[in-house]
């Protein structure tokens, strides 16, 4: 393949969005394109171990927004939550598979003029101390062989999300040729 395909503008401008237009819904075509992007992500041994539960029901979205004490309240305001499920029995690299799908979905959302945000589930707890994955599992009938990694909320952005200037990126995390210890800070 030698044809140039541009994705950098979406990568450059994408931000996590936590404030949404509460009454703007997505079309089934939009949802379908988002999920196509998630399904096209690279996967270990081409196993495509990740599964997804799409939630559009307002009551369920509200319930999902309480899966943790804080950090997930935006899920009550999105028209779509994509619950990302890993399958350890299908692939030992299920976290990588599921994370790549989630990232592809988020980037595709941005390219379509939609905002999104990752809500972490694995290893977290509700305000009552219940395991967050267990809470989601009960709410959506998710079987035990699947792990709930995260939920991607998607919707129309309500407000500005400033692009990060290129000079603010952590370029010091890049090492050329071999790893180099960071220089000690001067007193
Ligand atoms: C593994 C992972 C977990 C995250 N968990 C949450 C979360 O639970 N709630 C939230 O509001 N944002 C969450 N985020 C989004 C990050 O806070 C966000 O990507 C980061 O602050 C950088 O901002 P940006 O996406 O606008 O560049 C998560 C992102 C990742 C990759």
């Amino acid at each position: 393949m030698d044809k140039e395909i541009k994705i950098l503008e979406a990568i450059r401008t994408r931000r996590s969005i936590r404030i949404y237009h509460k009454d703007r819904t997505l079309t089934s075509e939009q949802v379908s394109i988002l999920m196509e992007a998630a399904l096209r992500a690279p996967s270990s041994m081409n196993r495509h171990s990740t599964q997804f539960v799409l939630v559009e029901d307002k009551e369920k979205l509200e319930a999902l927004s309480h899966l943790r004490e804080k950090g997930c309240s935006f899920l009550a305001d999105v028209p779509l939550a994509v619950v990302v499920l890993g399958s350890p029995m299908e692939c030992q690299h299920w976290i990588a598979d599921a994370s790549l799908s989630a990232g592809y979905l988020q980037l595709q959302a941005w390219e379509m003029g939609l905002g999104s945000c990752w809500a972490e589930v694995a290893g977290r707890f509700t305000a009552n101390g219940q395991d967050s994955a267990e809470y989601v599992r009960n709410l959506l009938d998710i079987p035990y062989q699947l792990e709930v990694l995260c939920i991607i909320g998607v919707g129309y952005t309500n407000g500005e999300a400033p692009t990060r200037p290129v000079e603010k990126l952590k370029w010091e995390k890049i090492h050329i040729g071999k790893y180099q210890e960071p220089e000690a800070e001067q007193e």
Side-chain angles (χ1 to χ4, degrees):
M1 197 191 84
D2 53 9
K3 197 169 92 164
E4 192 184 347
I5 297 175
K6 293 194 169 57
I7 194 172
L8 189 57
E9 194 190 341
I11 291 173
R12 274 193 175 139
T13 55
R14 185 211 58 81
R15 295 298 312 273
S16 293
I17 300 299
R18 300 178 183 87
I19 302 175
Y20 292 91
H21 276 289
K22 291 184 187 184
D23 42 10
R24 286 188 74 179
T25 55
L26 305 183
T27 64
S28 55
E29 197 194 350
Q30 283 174 309
V31 176
S32 164
I33 293 171
L34 290 171
M35 297 321 299
E36 178 182 346
L39 291 171
R40 285 189 187 277
S43 73
S44 173
M45 291 177 284
N46 202 22
R47 287 209 181 139
H48 296 280
S49 62
T50 314
Q51 301 208 33
F52 309 88
V53 179
L54 309 190
V55 180
E56 295 176 297
D57 175 81
K58 280 275 161 218
E59 279 180 22
K60 285 202 168 121
L61 289 166
E62 169 67 30
L64 286 175
S65 76
H66 299 293
L67 73 93
R68 279 170 41 200
E69 196 167 359
K70 51 184 182 174
C72 295
S73 52
F74 62 87
L75 290 174
D77 300 332
V78 291
L80 173 70
V82 180
V83 182
V84 182
L85 305 172
S87 177
M89 285 165 75
E90 277 178 271
C91 182
Q92 70 178 123
H93 303 296
W94 63 272
I95 296 178
D97 283 359
S99 299
L100 275 164
S101 280
Y104 267 49
L105 195 159
Q106 288 200 271
L107 211 46
Q108 181 56 39
W110 194 258
E111 196 245 27
M112 289 159 69
L114 300 168
S116 74
C117 192
W118 180 305
E120 186 73 3
V121 179
R124 302 297 171 102
F125 296 90
T126 66
N128 301 335
Q130 185 186 6
D131 180 79
S132 299
E134 196 67 20
Y135 176 88
V136 176
R137 197 182 283 293
N138 292 340
L139 188 70
L140 304 176
D141 294 339
I142 294 162
Y144 270 91
Q145 66 271 22
L146 298 176
E147 297 284 347
V148 187
L149 179 73
C150 67
I151 301 178
I152 306 297
V154 188
Y156 283 92
T157 304
N158 193 354
E160 293 296 310
T163 298
R164 286 208 177 83
V166 69
E167 61 275 10
K168 296 264 173 172
L169 300 180
K170 295 190 185 299
W171 296 99
E172 70 277 12
K173 303 262 177 179
I174 297 173
H175 307 267
I176 310 295
K178 70 180 178 70
Y179 184 84
Q180 285 165 319
E181 292 293 343
E183 283 175 26
E185 297 243 339
Q186 300 290 326
E187 289 279 312

